[in-house]
Amino acid sequence: MYSMDNDIDHILVSEDALKAKVNELGAQISRDYAGKDLLLVSILKGSVVFMADLMRAVQIPCAIDFMVVSSYGGANTSSTGLVKIIKDLDADLTGRDVLIVEDILDTGITLSKLVPVLKMRNPGSVKICTILSKPSRRMADIEPDYCGFEVPDEFVVGYGLDYDEKYRNLPYVGVLKPEVYSGE
């Protein structure tokens, strides 16, 4: 029987490490946003797993909303540089403290275009929380306010991250074997 685990070269961040880091981030966010009107904004599809875990780890009242924003397409493994909003927020951001929840901050192109768009909607603040950051690939001047793990420049999947809509449901972050995404 086929197992997605067979396509993984090695595990970069274990399920236990993810759980511990999400609880740590949730505690920090709870402290930082106590008494504020917190809105967690999940950037779909990749952040859905992280968002579900993070919102349960946040111990203060918060609302959630979702956006679909893309600078990747299909089986592309690198950003196209073009950012489009496919599904916009339902919530009014006026005066609210917005925390963008992302799976990975890679080149930074998507968020560098999205943050100014959200700031034009008069929120109290806009900050970024990502479970993974790849600073070696950063092409835009943007950094996360909350970060789980810095990862090397390897093709990672799992915990919401995909390759061609596969592997999102792995409970860990793993490095995909090159032959899987290069077609060798």
Side-chain angles (χ1 to χ4, degrees), residues 17-73:
L18 286 164
K19 286 178 184 176
K21 184 58 75 171
V22 169
N23 286 333
E24 179 183 314
L25 290 169
Q28 182 64 48
I29 291 164
S30 297
R31 287 189 297 274
D32 293 351
Y33 286 90
K36 296 188 177 184
D37 187 8
L38 177 60
L39 175 66
L40 301 176
V41 174
S42 175
I43 306 301
L44 299 175
K45 300 177 185 170
S47 72
V48 70
V49 176
F50 177 42
M51 172 73 146
D53 289 345
L54 183 66
M55 64 188 235
R56 288 186 302 238
V58 169
Q59 297 299 306
I60 59 169
C62 64
I64 63 170
D65 206 342
F66 301 90
M67 291 186 86
V68 178
V69 183
S70 180
S71 66
Y72 294 83

Coordinates of all heavy atoms in Angstrom, one line a residue, residues 17-73:
A17 N 7.0 18.6 18.2 CA 7.6 19.9 18.2 C 6.6 21.0 17.7 O 6.6 22.1 18.2 CB 8.9 19.9 17.3
L18 N 5.8 20.6 16.7 CA 4.8 21.5 16.2 C 3.8 21.8 17.3 O 3.4 23.0 17.6 CB 4.0 20.9 15.0 CG 4.8 20.9 13.7 CD1 4.2 20.0 12.7 CD2 4.9 22.3 13.2
K19 N 3.3 20.8 18.0 CA 2.3 21.0 19.1 C 2.9 21.9 20.2 O 2.2 22.9 20.7 CB 1.9 19.7 19.7 CG 1.0 18.9 18.8 CD 0.6 17.5 19.5 CE -0.2 16.7 18.6 NZ -0.5 15.3 19.1
A20 N 4.1 21.7 20.6 CA 4.7 22.5 21.6 C 4.9 24.0 21.2 O 4.6 24.9 22.0 CB 6.1 21.9 22.0
K21 N 5.3 24.2 20.0 CA 5.5 25.5 19.5 C 4.2 26.3 19.3 O 4.1 27.5 19.6 CB 6.2 25.5 18.1 CG 6.6 26.9 17.6 CD 7.4 27.7 18.5 CE 8.8 27.2 18.6 NZ 9.7 28.2 19.4
V22 N 3.1 25.6 18.8 CA 1.8 26.2 18.7 C 1.3 26.6 20.0 O 0.7 27.7 20.2 CB 0.8 25.3 18.0 CG1 -0.6 25.8 18.0 CG2 1.2 25.1 16.5
N23 N 1.5 25.8 21.1 CA 1.0 26.2 22.4 C 1.8 27.4 22.9 O 1.2 28.3 23.6 CB 1.2 25.0 23.4 CG 0.1 24.0 23.1 OD1 -1.0 24.3 22.7 ND2 0.4 22.7 23.4
E24 N 3.1 27.4 22.6 CA 3.9 28.6 23.0 C 3.5 29.9 22.3 O 3.3 30.9 22.9 CB 5.4 28.3 22.7 CG 6.4 29.3 23.0 CD 7.8 28.9 22.5 OE1 8.2 27.8 22.7 OE2 8.4 29.8 21.9
L25 N 3.2 29.8 21.0 CA 2.7 30.9 20.3 C 1.4 31.4 20.8 O 1.1 32.6 20.9 CB 2.7 30.6 18.8 CG 4.0 30.4 18.0 CD1 3.8 29.8 16.6 CD2 4.8 31.8 18.0
G26 N 0.5 30.4 21.0 CA -0.8 30.8 21.5 C -0.8 31.5 22.9 O -1.5 32.5 23.1
A27 N 0.1 31.1 23.7 CA 0.3 31.8 25.0 C 0.8 33.2 24.8 O 0.4 34.1 25.5 CB 1.2 30.9 25.9
Q28 N 1.8 33.3 23.9 CA 2.4 34.7 23.7 C 1.3 35.6 23.1 O 1.2 36.7 23.5 CB 3.6 34.6 22.8 CG 4.3 35.9 22.5 CD 4.9 36.5 23.7 OE1 5.6 35.8 24.5 NE2 4.6 37.8 23.9
I29 N 0.6 35.1 22.1 CA -0.5 35.9 21.5 C -1.5 36.3 22.5 O -2.0 37.4 22.5 CB -1.1 35.1 20.2 CG1 0.0 35.1 19.1 CG2 -2.4 35.8 19.8 CD1 -0.3 34.0 18.1
S30 N -1.9 35.3 23.3 CA -2.9 35.6 24.4 C -2.4 36.8 25.3 O -3.2 37.6 25.7 CB -3.1 34.4 25.2 OG -3.7 33.3 24.4
R31 N -1.2 36.7 25.7 CA -0.6 37.8 26.5 C -0.6 39.2 25.7 O -1.0 40.2 26.2 CB 0.8 37.5 27.0 CG 0.9 36.4 28.1 CD 2.2 36.3 28.6 NE 3.2 35.9 27.7 CZ 3.5 34.6 27.4 NH1 2.8 33.6 28.0 NH2 4.5 34.3 26.5
D32 N -0.1 39.1 24.5 CA 0.1 40.3 23.7 C -1.3 41.0 23.3 O -1.3 42.2 23.2 CB 0.9 40.1 22.4 CG 2.3 39.7 22.7 OD1 2.8 39.8 23.9 OD2 3.0 39.3 21.8
Y33 N -2.3 40.2 23.1 CA -3.6 40.7 22.6 C -4.7 40.8 23.7 O -5.8 41.0 23.4 CB -4.1 39.9 21.4 CG -3.3 40.2 20.2 CD1 -2.1 39.5 19.9 CD2 -3.6 41.3 19.3 CE1 -1.4 39.7 18.7 CE2 -2.9 41.5 18.2 CZ -1.8 40.8 17.9 OH -1.1 41.0 16.7
A34 N -4.3 40.6 25.0 CA -5.3 40.6 26.0 C -6.0 42.0 26.0 O -5.4 43.0 25.9 CB -4.6 40.4 27.4
G35 N -7.3 41.9 26.1 CA -8.2 43.1 26.1 C -8.3 43.8 24.7 O -8.9 44.8 24.6
K36 N -7.8 43.1 23.7 CA -8.0 43.7 22.3 C -9.0 42.9 21.5 O -9.4 41.8 21.9 CB -6.6 43.7 21.6 CG -5.6 44.6 22.4 CD -4.3 44.7 21.6 CE -3.4 45.7 22.4 NZ -2.2 45.9 21.6
D37 N -9.3 43.5 20.4 CA -10.3 42.9 19.5 C -9.5 42.1 18.4 O -9.3 42.6 17.3 CB -11.2 44.0 18.8 CG -12.3 43.4 18.0 OD1 -12.6 42.2 18.0 OD2 -13.0 44.2 17.3
L38 N -9.1 40.9 18.8 CA -8.3 40.1 17.9 C -9.0 39.4 16.8 O -10.0 38.7 17.1 CB -7.5 39.1 18.8 CG -6.6 38.1 18.0 CD1 -5.5 38.8 17.2 CD2 -6.0 37.1 19.0
L39 N -8.6 39.5 15.6 CA -9.1 38.8 14.4 C -8.0 38.0 13.8 O -7.0 38.5 13.3 CB -9.7 39.7 13.4 CG -10.2 39.1 12.1 CD1 -11.4 38.2 12.4 CD2 -10.5 40.2 11.1
L40 N -8.1 36.7 13.9 CA -7.1 35.8 13.2 C -7.5 35.6 11.8 O -8.7 35.2 11.5 CB -7.0 34.4 13.9 CG -6.7 34.4 15.4 CD1 -6.8 33.0 16.0 CD2 -5.3 35.0 15.6
V41 N -6.6 35.9 10.8 CA -6.9 35.7 9.4 C -6.1 34.6 8.8 O -4.9 34.8 8.7 CB -6.7 37.1 8.7 CG1 -6.9 36.9 7.2 CG2 -7.6 38.2 9.2
S42 N -6.7 33.5 8.5 CA -6.0 32.4 7.9 C -5.9 32.6 6.4 O -6.9 32.9 5.7 CB -6.8 31.1 8.2 OG -6.3 30.0 7.5
I43 N -4.7 32.4 5.9 CA -4.5 32.5 4.5 C -4.5 31.0 3.9 O -3.7 30.2 4.2 CB -3.1 33.1 4.1 CG1 -2.9 34.5 4.8 CG2 -2.9 33.2 2.6 CD1 -4.0 35.5 4.4
L44 N -5.6 30.7 3.3 CA -5.9 29.4 2.8 C -5.1 29.1 1.5 O -4.8 30.0 0.8 CB -7.4 29.2 2.5 CG -8.3 29.4 3.7 CD1 -9.8 29.4 3.2 CD2 -8.1 28.4 4.8
K45 N -4.9 27.9 1.3 CA -5.3 26.7 2.0 C -4.2 26.3 3.0 O -4.6 25.5 3.9 CB -5.5 25.5 1.0 CG -6.6 25.8 0.0 CD -6.7 24.6 -1.0 CE -7.6 24.9 -2.1 NZ -7.6 23.9 -3.1
G46 N -3.0 26.6 2.8 CA -1.9 26.1 3.6 C -2.0 26.3 5.1 O -1.5 25.5 5.8
S47 N -2.6 27.4 5.5 CA -2.5 27.7 7.0 C -3.7 27.1 7.7 O -3.7 27.2 9.0 CB -2.5 29.2 7.2 OG -3.7 29.8 6.9
V48 N -4.6 26.3 7.1 CA -5.8 25.8 7.8 C -5.4 24.9 9.0 O -6.1 25.0 10.0 CB -6.7 25.2 6.8 CG1 -6.2 23.8 6.3 CG2 -8.1 25.0 7.4
V49 N -4.4 24.1 8.8 CA -4.1 23.2 9.9 C -3.5 24.0 11.1 O -3.9 23.8 12.3 CB -3.1 22.1 9.5 CG1 -2.7 21.2 10.6 CG2 -3.7 21.3 8.4
F50 N -2.6 24.9 10.8 CA -2.0 25.7 11.8 C -3.0 26.6 12.5 O -3.0 26.8 13.7 CB -0.8 26.6 11.2 CG -0.2 27.5 12.1 CD1 0.2 27.2 13.4 CD2 0.2 28.8 11.6 CE1 0.8 28.1 14.2 CE2 0.8 29.7 12.4 CZ 1.1 29.4 13.8
M51 N -3.9 27.2 11.7 CA -4.9 28.1 12.2 C -5.8 27.3 13.2 O -6.1 27.8 14.3 CB -5.8 28.6 11.0 CG -7.0 29.4 11.5 SD -6.6 31.0 12.2 CE -8.0 31.9 11.6
A52 N -6.2 26.1 12.8 CA -7.1 25.3 13.7 C -6.4 25.1 15.1 O -7.0 25.2 16.1 CB -7.5 24.0 13.0
D53 N -5.2 24.7 15.0 CA -4.4 24.5 16.2 C -4.2 25.7 17.0 O -4.3 25.8 18.2 CB -3.1 23.8 15.9 CG -3.3 22.3 15.5 OD1 -4.4 21.8 15.7 OD2 -2.3 21.8 15.0
L54 N -3.8 26.8 16.3 CA -3.4 28.1 17.0 C -4.6 28.7 17.7 O -4.5 29.1 18.8 CB -2.8 29.1 16.0 CG -2.4 30.4 16.6 CD1 -1.2 30.2 17.5 CD2 -2.0 31.3 15.4
M55 N -5.8 28.7 17.0 CA -7.0 29.3 17.6 C -7.4 28.6 18.9 O -7.9 29.3 19.8 CB -8.1 29.5 16.6 CG -8.7 28.2 16.1 SD -9.9 28.5 14.8 CE -11.3 27.7 15.5
R56 N -7.1 27.3 19.0 CA -7.4 26.6 20.2 C -6.4 26.9 21.3 O -6.7 26.7 22.5 CB -7.5 25.1 19.9 CG -8.8 24.7 19.1 CD -8.9 23.2 19.0 NE -7.8 22.7 18.3 CZ -7.8 22.0 17.2 NH1 -8.9 21.7 16.6 NH2 -6.7 21.5 16.7
A57 N -5.2 27.3 20.9 CA -4.1 27.6 21.8 C -4.2 29.0 22.4 O -3.6 29.3 23.4 CB -2.8 27.3 21.2
V58 N -4.9 29.8 21.6 CA -5.1 31.2 22.1 C -6.2 31.2 23.2 O -7.3 30.7 22.9 CB -5.5 32.1 20.9 CG1 -6.0 33.5 21.4 CG2 -4.3 32.3 19.9
Q59 N -5.9 31.7 24.3 CA -6.8 31.7 25.5 C -7.6 32.9 25.8 O -8.1 33.1 26.9 CB -6.0 31.2 26.7 CG -5.4 29.8 26.6 CD -6.4 28.8 26.4 OE1 -7.4 28.6 27.2 NE2 -6.3 28.0 25.3
I60 N -7.7 33.8 24.8 CA -8.5 35.0 24.9 C -9.6 35.0 23.8 O -9.4 34.2 22.8 CB -7.7 36.3 24.8 CG1 -6.9 36.3 23.5 CG2 -6.7 36.4 26.0 CD1 -6.2 37.6 23.1
P61 N -10.6 35.8 23.9 CA -11.6 35.8 22.8 C -11.0 36.3 21.5 O -10.2 37.2 21.5 CB -12.7 36.8 23.3 CG -12.5 36.8 24.8 CD -11.0 36.6 25.1
C62 N -11.3 35.6 20.5 CA -10.8 36.0 19.1 C -11.9 35.6 18.1 O -12.6 34.7 18.3 CB -9.5 35.5 18.8 SG -9.4 33.7 18.7
A63 N -11.9 36.3 17.0 CA -12.7 36.0 15.9 C -11.7 35.4 14.8 O -10.5 35.6 14.8 CB -13.4 37.2 15.3
I64 N -12.3 34.7 13.8 CA -11.5 34.2 12.7 C -12.1 34.6 11.4 O -13.4 34.8 11.3 CB -11.3 32.7 12.8 CG1 -12.6 31.9 12.7 CG2 -10.6 32.3 14.1 CD1 -12.5 30.4 12.5
D65 N -11.3 34.7 10.4 CA -11.8 34.9 9.0 C -10.7 34.2 8.1 O -9.7 33.8 8.5 CB -12.0 36.4 8.7 CG -13.0 36.6 7.6 OD1 -13.3 35.7 6.8 OD2 -13.5 37.8 7.5
F66 N -11.1 34.2 6.8 CA -10.3 33.4 5.8 C -10.1 34.2 4.5 O -11.0 34.9 4.1 CB -10.9 32.1 5.5 CG -11.1 31.2 6.7 CD1 -12.3 31.3 7.4 CD2 -10.1 30.4 7.1 CE1 -12.5 30.5 8.6 CE2 -10.3 29.6 8.3 CZ -11.4 29.7 9.0
M67 N -8.9 34.1 4.0 CA -8.6 34.7 2.7 C -7.9 33.6 1.8 O -7.3 32.7 2.4 CB -7.7 35.9 2.7 CG -8.2 37.1 3.4 SD -7.0 38.5 3.3 CE -7.5 39.1 1.6
V68 N -8.2 33.7 0.5 CA -7.4 32.9 -0.4 C -6.6 33.9 -1.2 O -7.2 34.7 -1.9 CB -8.2 32.0 -1.3 CG1 -7.3 31.2 -2.3 CG2 -9.0 31.0 -0.5
V69 N -5.3 33.8 -1.1 CA -4.4 34.8 -1.8 C -3.3 33.9 -2.4 O -2.7 33.0 -1.7 CB -3.7 35.8 -0.8 CG1 -2.8 36.7 -1.5 CG2 -4.8 36.5 0.0
S70 N -2.9 34.1 -3.6 CA -2.0 33.2 -4.2 C -0.9 34.0 -5.0 O -1.2 35.0 -5.7 CB -2.7 32.3 -5.2 OG -1.8 31.4 -5.8
S71 N 0.3 33.5 -5.0 CA 1.3 33.9 -5.9 C 2.0 32.6 -6.5 O 3.0 32.7 -7.1 CB 2.4 34.7 -5.2 OG 3.1 34.0 -4.2
Y72 N 1.4 31.5 -6.2 CA 1.8 30.2 -6.8 C 0.7 29.7 -7.6 O -0.5 30.0 -7.5 CB 2.1 29.2 -5.7 CG 3.3 29.6 -4.8 CD1 3.1 30.5 -3.8 CD2 4.6 29.1 -5.1 CE1 4.2 30.8 -3.0 CE2 5.6 29.4 -4.3 CZ 5.5 30.3 -3.2 OH 6.5 30.6 -2.5
G73 N 1.0 28.7 -8.5 CA -0.1 28.1 -9.3 C 0.2 26.7 -9.6 O 1.3 26.3 -10.0

